[in-house]
Amino acid sequence: MSRTPAHRSRVVVIGAGIVGASLADELTARGWTEVTVLEQGPLPAPGGSTSHAPGLVFRTGPSKTMTEFAAYTVEKFGSLDVDGQPCFHAVGGLEVATTEARWADLHRKAGLAASWGVHGELLTPQRCKELWPMLDETRLYGGFHTPGDGLARAVLACRAQIARAESRGARFLERHTVTGIEQADGRVTGVVTDRGTFPADHVVSAAGFWGPVIGAMAGVDVPLLPLAHQYATTEPLPGLARVDEARTGEARTEESLPILRFQDRDLYFREHLDAAGTRLGIGSYAHRPMPVDPFTVPAYDDAPTMPSSLPFTPDDFAPSWQDSVGLLPALADSRVAEGFNGVFSFTPDGMPVLGESRELRGFWLAEAVWVTHSAGVARAVAEWMTDGRPATDLHECDLYRFEDAQRSPAYIADRGAQSFVEVYDVIHPLQPVEQPRPLRTSPFYPRQQELGAYFLEGGGWERPHWYEANAPLAEGLELPARDAWSARYWSPIAAAEAKATRERVALYDMTPLRRLEVTGPGALAFLQRMTSNNLAKKPGAVTYTLLLDEAGGIRSDLTVARLAPDRFQVGANSGADLDWLLRHAPDEGVQVRDITSGTCCIGVWGPLARALVQPLTRDDFSHRAFGYFRARHTHLGHVPVTAMRLSYVGELGWELYTTADLGLRLWDTLWAAGQQHGVIAAGRSAFNSLRLEKGYRAWGHDMTTEHNPYEAGVGFAVRPDKGDFLGRDALAGVSEDTVPRRLSCLTLDDPAAVVLGKEPVHADGAPVGYVTSAAYGYTLGRGIAYAWLPAAVSVPGTAVHIEYFGEKIPATVAHEPLFDPQMERIRR
């Protein structure tokens, strides 16, 4: 992608809240000094979400990316001050558990903290009370303390970063309301305001909950929902009074209590010091969702207080006040002095929306970002703009991660509201969304329902994880007992389905996997330039390859089938893959389109796969005539299919593709032919176990842009001798022998142990890495985990421990693949 030289890059940032101010600081620090920040309100507190934000910064969460964003916010704001006033106060964070489920979750969170490098400690109820004297410790199971967390003074941080950016040449213009986005030939050219037009090579929408308004001006959808969130402050509390001046001679001038989260009741607390004394601020997510139309939010001068601050609704807060008194009994003698309903942004999955629009080049989004992650997001977007790539993997935040079916206003409203409800919920990693379902279904959905499929959801698709029809096959299987957490969204039926796949044959619905078609006289040259492996093979060849970025990071892994000299079918991972290819495709000679919705796919895998498929076709499906990683067009019964000899479960078989209208006929044809062979339908739970036994990577879990192919164990898919391709130069001199870390296979020493992913891995008593994917290997009879480890620890035979809910589970680094290392079962 071409980049405007730094000395000529004119950037207009819309919004001077914490994200816009942070971005201007990061851009100017990188030499992009022609930066103009436009703000509709007065500076430095223009009335958006930043102006009322309580400033809590808890770093630890399930997302490594978001934890890194928050960690940088702590680091950066901790180094800033304004007139001697620090922009961050590390009072620490304390999360308390009043239920067994929450106490277990805090153990899991402590593991996440260790995985992502955040210092934290699980505390007894008595120790929690020492940190927070108002607590009724008799209600507690315990707490999780992170001393490096704390309070960001958002407006002060804006002032500090505005000053730094201005010193490097940036300008901040208040009272400029954006009224339009100018564009020409698919590129942004300027921003129109009520006080003039500002030419631009890049425009960044950092408008917070006004993001959809700015996006509409540019013709770019911004999938976020503004919602109001209640925040109240108490009267001054004697129990939080300042230090006794008679004893010390000084009054306390800064908050000292850790920020407190009472997630069992969707509440948080922080201290406020002012001239009147010491008060508590109480934030609540316990109330009904209160969506706000960003197109109707009043201007700063028309708002009673500020645009982002709506009138407090006491009735909504009443239950939260009673819950607060229950945890902090001293509040019974106090009352709410004031409160407001503050507006901020939620997306369908609760993550930010970041990146450059493909439809309008040069128009960037940095939206749905809270103060917690603001500095980290700003750094990543600045890197993206100036260097062409962020150092942090952003696939969870990418603008193009959402499917078209997830971009409707109704979907955004439903899921955005649910994101609000779930802010403090204990969310299982497999937990599906509740609404709207079903949204996307494969043509096989009616048959799957008849077989009692247990569906989870991903990308809007209903995905069978196991089938109740197979329950009799699970009877008599000896499986280790599972704890309550690992038993959620799991069934012993998965073991039976894995066994049937290894011993007979099973049908897997692979329809949700994205399929792209690349055609045209320039298709081969284009794909050769974009991917790492050599695709210059005869039609009928299928190749596993990688999409790399300029630094050699893995953007995705693909299977590319050359179906004709100028036609390729690409098995991809996400909408971001399509976006990446479209951005790089030449204007002529190449067409790239998504064919997923119009097609479907069944994986037929198992030692009897050939016996099932061969009688349905006149073509020869023998190994000699139809080898591994080959493709051909054929007919199975009455159904035209594209058959690809691939297997992601480590067994003989094919991926069979046809058009959606013929999908149900294909299923019925295979099902009828398979009855004599004991065919079953199998789900994703068995699939994941089988693919880990075989050592197959899952992009987005096991490897991302933060990893190169040699670290991830997929260096075999890199062919530097084929000629130039994106990322080739960055990998020069890199090999599996020289990398400092590796994705490593671990087996759990205890055959009854299970882990699920993201747990820390310890060596010599200290955390050294983290688990990416994990499952129970039903064929092997023990748990399997893949983990990122230092090269010195990744040596097979090395003993390590995986921390699972506070328990250190012994594991051993193993040679991979664990199953069929000679590939005999696939190539027969």
Side-chain angles (χ1 to χ4, degrees), residues 498-506 604-611 614 620-629 645-647 649-654 694 819-820 822-828:
K499 186 172 187 290
T501 306
R502 291 277 188 241
E503 295 177 353
R504 300 193 304 277
V505 61
V604 182
W605 291 311
L608 301 183
R610 183 176 288 115
Q614 182 63 81
D620 187 353
F621 269 52
S622 68
H623 180 63
R624 179 180 295 274
F626 196 161
Y628 191 53
F629 266 80
R645 180 91 183 272
L646 305 174
S647 175
V649 299
E651 294 292 339
L652 170 69
W654 289 265
K694 195 60 185 167
F819 179 79
D820 189 25
Q822 303 304 317
M823 302 284 284
E824 295 172 351
R825 297 175 70 92
I826 291 177
R827 294 190 172 103
R828 60 179 171 181

Side-chain angles (χ1 to χ4, degrees), residues 201-218:
D201 302 303
H202 299 273
V203 173
V204 185
S205 177
F209 61 79
W210 283 287
V213 178
I214 302 300
M217 296 178 190

Side-chain angles (χ1 to χ4, degrees), residues 389-413:
R389 70 182 295 272
T392 301
D393 166 55
L394 297 185
H395 82 273
E396 296 173 312
C397 310
D398 194 284
L399 166 62
Y400 290 93
R401 72 186 184 273
F402 294 114
E403 305 288 336
D404 287 344
Q406 296 172 305
R407 288 182 167 272
S408 70
Y411 186 93
I412 294 167

Side-chain angles (χ1 to χ4, degrees), residues 607-803:
L608 301 183
R610 183 176 288 115
L612 188 160
V613 174
Q614 182 63 81
L616 299 174
T617 178
R618 296 181 179 181
D619 291 321
D620 187 353
F621 269 52
S622 68
H623 180 63
R624 179 180 295 274
F626 196 161
Y628 191 53
F629 266 80
R630 300 292 298 173
R632 67 169 51 164
H633 183 76
T634 187
H635 288 81
L636 296 181
H638 298 91
V639 182
V641 301
T642 298
M644 297 187 194
R645 180 91 183 272
L646 305 174
S647 175
Y648 286 93
V649 299
E651 294 292 339
L652 170 69
W654 289 265
E655 291 180 357
L656 304 174
Y657 298 88
T658 192
T659 52
D661 59 325
L662 291 169
L664 197 58
R665 185 60 177 261
L666 176 61
W667 179 282
D668 289 344
T669 299
L670 294 169
W671 187 258
Q675 292 308 300
Q676 62 180 308
H677 303 295
V679 71
I680 67 162
R684 296 289 297 182
S685 187
F687 178 91
N688 195 51
S689 171
L690 296 169
R691 70 103 179 165
L692 284 177
E693 289 183 335
K694 195 60 185 167
Y696 292 137
R697 277 65 169 146
W699 185 85
H701 295 278
D702 301 317
M703 55 191 185
T704 69
T705 55
E706 296 181 6
H707 312 109
N708 71 50
Y710 301 103
E711 295 173 322
V714 289
F716 63 86
V718 180
R719 293 288 185 269
D721 56 353
K722 76 165 185 173
D724 190 35
F725 58 87
L726 195 62
R728 178 177 181 264
D729 292 344
L731 296 179
V734 181
S735 71
E736 292 182 6
D737 295 330
T738 62
V739 295
R741 59 181 177 177
R742 295 191 184 96
L743 183 65
S744 306
C745 178
L746 310 178
T747 55
L748 278 57
D749 295 353
D750 181 356
V754 175
V755 299
L756 298 183
K758 300 187 178 181
E759 297 90 356
V761 180
H762 297 256
D764 296 325
V768 294
Y770 60 91
V771 174
T772 56
S773 294
Y776 193 82
Y778 300 112
T779 313
L780 303 175
R782 67 180 59 250
I784 305 166
Y786 272 76
W788 281 102
L789 299 176
V793 182
S794 67
V795 179
T798 303
V800 296
H801 289 85
I802 301 174
E803 183 179 341

